[in-house]
Amino acid sequence: MIFLGLIAVGVVFCGVVPFVVMPGMGYGMALPVITVPGETLTDSFLGTGLPLTNTIVGTLLADVVVLLFAFGATRKMKEVPGRLQGLFEVLTDALYNLVKTTAGAKNAAKLFPLVATLFIFLLTANWLELVPGVDSVGMMHCAEAGFSGYERDGVTLYVPKAMDSGVRATEENYEACHAAEAGHTDPTLEAAREAAITAAAAELGVETVDWKADVGNSNTLADYITAQGGDPEAVYQAAIEALGNAEGEAAHEEGATEGENAAEGEHAAMSPEDALQKALYEPFWRDDIFVVTSFVRAATTDLNLTLGLALLAVIVIQIFGVQALGVKYFAKFINTPALEDAGKNPMGVMDFGIGLLEIVSELSKVLSFGFRLFGNIFAGQVLLFVIPFLIAWIVPTAVYGLELFVGLIQAFVFAMLLLVFSAMAMEGHGHEEDAHH
Amino acid sequence: MEINGLDLISAAKTLGAGLAMIGVIGPGIGIGLVVQGALNAMGRNPDASGQLTTTMILGIAFAEAVAIYALVIALIILFVM
């Protein structure tokens, strides 16, 4: 029964909602914008001058979730654990056993807190991308050149059909859109359009003419008027008259703002006649293309976080090594003991060379740590974006399951590699020395 | 349909990303070999499967890292350049 219920829910949310209900309401699924850096939400967060990206929001959200769970699990600890406490006990126990078998009982106490913290944090951060609303609910802004976006319909995106992948914006689109957003539109042209639409409505004897619904994207207003049996020339005359009156009233205001306009320079003043000509005989609907910047994005899809954690991991490994072995730890890299022994054992020279290579391998750990996590989770995110636009049925669910697995594995691998490398650094050349003793 | 520079760049990007992903062939074979070895060992000695699984996942992670480099290059070509 539960299984059937799940299937029913799946059918409703995979089929009925995106294909029937949402188009019925005039909404469609929009492809989210895919960028590697986290998208900036505000340039100055709470006036601090620091930019706030959606991946930072994701990081903070993951922190909050971990803290809430940990708080809930440890606030009222009981002898016989409740569900949450039981879950945390199982998790901690499994992690501690893992650390103990890998690093030995002696080092486990030292390594466990860091490894377990990273694992739990990364698990939460990775799984955050699977929460509905993350990556998809956000605010609209102009699409930059080369990105696919959608036209705007009031406060929502205009997506003509379900699962439409949008139009690619060009440089001009972005410039025009950005100018319009910033309020740099030509006032003369706007006024001319206003007048033209009023005059056209009067000429055709309808209450109002809507650019989007009636005129459409590629048609001109003049075409529309002709098609409806009106005369564009009469509309032009009526609009010119209306504009002339309005200008007379606004003349003194114009005088005040003229200095400003002249200062801007590039916005060459357009005569009302030219503006009206443009409004009537050129397609109006500016193809401003908008994209949605999500409020929250999974923290680990930002290279900054993963590379930061990778740097932390590699530095911590060195610190553990030095703590355990002292100065002898560096003999792993600059292998002077082997060089001193070279008289007895000529292979020592090669050991010295290998030691130098160890430095490179240590540096490459930063890259492999950081890129592995980032690459996996980011690719998973892109997969989750794209698959619903290829096959909208059932398959996205399977991808969801895969991502659940990948998120777990990558968190585990990150923590596990940190553990193994730390354990190796703490042991150093332990086995050889043990053999001597 | 008119083809402009942006379209050409887009086409080249897509091709480049596809070519970059050729690099995942090696890691694919590698991961297969790792799992094969681990499964053989588990079949011979089922008691050691816990330890083997952990080591196997680590081995997979190392092999996978190479595939991830290819993937990152492809993603950079597609979404950054």
Side-chain angles (χ1 to χ4, degrees):
Chain A
M1 272 312 285
I2 293 173
F3 188 64
L4 285 179
L6 282 179
I7 289 181
V9 169
V11 166
V12 166
F13 278 97
C14 293
V16 179
V17 169
F19 292 112
V20 179
V21 178
M22 286 176 63
M25 288 160 65
Y27 294 108
M29 300 287 287
L31 185 69
V33 63
I34 300 169
T35 53
V36 171
E39 294 104 315
T40 312
L41 291 174
T42 66
D43 281 329
S44 177
F45 176 55
L46 295 179
T48 52
L50 297 169
L52 179 75
T53 61
N54 51 8
T55 44
I56 294 178
V57 177
T59 316
L60 294 177
L61 201 63
D63 286 341
V64 168
V65 169
V66 170
L67 284 177
L68 279 182
F69 268 105
F71 188 68
T74 55
R75 197 168 38 110
K76 276 187 269 172
M77 292 217 274
K78 281 178 273 184
E79 194 75 16
V80 179
R83 282 186 189 176
L84 196 57
Q85 194 192 335
L87 176 74
F88 263 66
E89 281 185 7
V90 169
L91 186 65
T92 333
D93 200 43
L95 280 174
Y96 192 75
N97 280 334
L98 185 74
V99 175
K100 216 160 68 179
T101 49
T102 315
K106 193 163 63 81
N107 296 333
K110 202 173 195 177
L111 291 175
F112 173 70
L114 183 66
V115 170
T117 308
L118 273 176
F119 174 74
I120 294 173
F121 169 69
L122 286 178
L123 186 66
T124 321
N126 291 350
W127 278 356
L128 204 63
E129 71 170 340
L130 302 172
V131 177
V134 170
D135 288 331
S136 50
V137 177
M139 59 185 187
M140 261 191 307
H141 66 103
C142 297
E144 282 176 44
F147 285 104
S148 289
Y150 304 87
E151 284 163 34
R152 189 179 185 162
D153 187 11
V155 292
T156 57
L157 290 178
Y158 174 73
V159 185
K161 59 181 195 291
M163 305 285 172
D164 188 62
S165 62
V167 199
R168 205 180 60 217
T170 61
E171 195 69 46
E172 295 90 67
N173 285 141
Y174 178 66
E175 300 270 308
C177 170
H178 204 70
E181 285 288 285
H184 288 313
T185 47
D186 193 337
T188 323
L189 191 57
E190 291 297 310
R193 287 200 170 123
E194 197 70 33
I197 208 90
T198 321
E203 165 83 10
L204 300 174
V206 291
E207 204 159 288
T208 177
V209 177
D210 186 50
W211 286 108
K212 182 110 199 121
D214 298 335
V215 183
N217 280 356
S218 48
N219 298 332
T220 64
L221 185 60
D223 284 342
Y224 174 71
I225 295 165
T226 319
Q228 296 291 313
D231 177 17
E233 205 49 42
V235 172
Y236 180 78
Q237 290 306 331
I240 276 286
E241 231 162 81
L243 270 184
N245 290 343
E247 211 165 316
E249 283 166 27
H252 54 282
E253 283 176 36
E254 286 277 311
T257 54
E258 202 148 7
E260 242 171 78
N261 284 350
E264 276 189 43
E266 51 197 312
H267 290 294
M270 199 186 277
S271 76
E273 285 81 9
D274 284 347
L276 201 54
Q277 201 76 25
K278 203 171 163 171
L280 267 176
Y281 294 103
E282 274 178 32
F284 159 66
W285 199 256
R286 238 191 7 246
D287 290 327
D288 284 356
I289 295 172
F290 287 88
V291 291
V292 168
T293 299
S294 55
F295 291 127
V296 186
R297 191 172 130 184
T300 35
T301 55
D302 193 330
L303 197 50
N304 291 314
L305 180 94
T306 58
L307 271 185
L309 285 181
L311 267 177
L312 176 125
V314 170
I315 289 171
V316 157
I317 290 169
Q318 314 308 320
I319 291 174
F320 279 147
V322 172
Q323 273 184 350
L325 300 177
V327 190
K328 270 202 305 187
Y329 174 69
F330 293 109
K332 183 176 145 197
F333 303 119
I334 302 165
N335 202 343
T336 41
L339 209 57
E340 282 163 16
D341 280 357
K344 277 182 278 174
N345 180 10
M347 290 302 273
V349 180
M350 210 167 96
D351 282 347
F352 184 76
I354 290 172
L356 292 180
L357 283 182
E358 283 284 324
I359 299 175
V360 179
S361 111
E362 212 67 24
L363 290 177
S364 79
K365 267 178 205 165
V366 179
L367 288 182
S368 88
F369 261 116
F371 278 110
R372 179 183 301 114
L373 186 59
F374 163 76
N376 270 290
I377 307 301
F378 185 76
Q381 184 198 36
V382 173
L383 201 64
L384 284 177
F385 284 173
V386 171
I387 287 291
F389 287 82
L390 296 177
I391 311 157
W393 286 81
I394 314 290
V395 180
T397 322
V399 175
Y400 235 77
L402 177 75
E403 285 315 309
L404 202 69
F405 181 66
V406 167
L408 173 69
I409 286 291
Q410 288 310 316
F412 177 72
V413 161
F414 194 97
M416 194 66 201
L417 285 181
L418 173 61
L419 177 62
V420 170
F421 286 144
S422 301
M424 271 160 58
M426 285 164 133
E427 280 166 17
H429 291 287
H431 345 281
E432 293 166 31
E433 278 162 27
D434 285 342
H436 287 301
H437 290 306
Chain B
M1 175 188 157
E2 195 189 333
I3 294 174
N4 59 27
L6 214 56
D7 290 319
L8 282 179
I9 292 171
S10 167
K13 271 183 185 175
T14 320
L15 279 175
L19 289 175
M21 287 308 281
I22 290 177
V24 303
I25 292 176
I29 297 171
I31 290 172
L33 289 176
V34 168
V35 177
Q36 185 202 28
L39 284 179
N40 273 337
M42 279 183 213
R44 282 164 201 268
N45 185 4
D47 290 340
S49 52
Q51 183 93 39
L52 279 170
T53 314
T54 318
T55 321
M56 180 188 81
I57 288 176
L58 278 184
I60 292 175
F62 281 123
E64 197 195 22
V66 181
I68 294 299
Y69 297 151
L71 180 72
V72 166
I73 297 296
L75 290 177
I76 286 173
I77 291 173
L78 279 180
F79 301 122
V80 177
M81 283 161 76

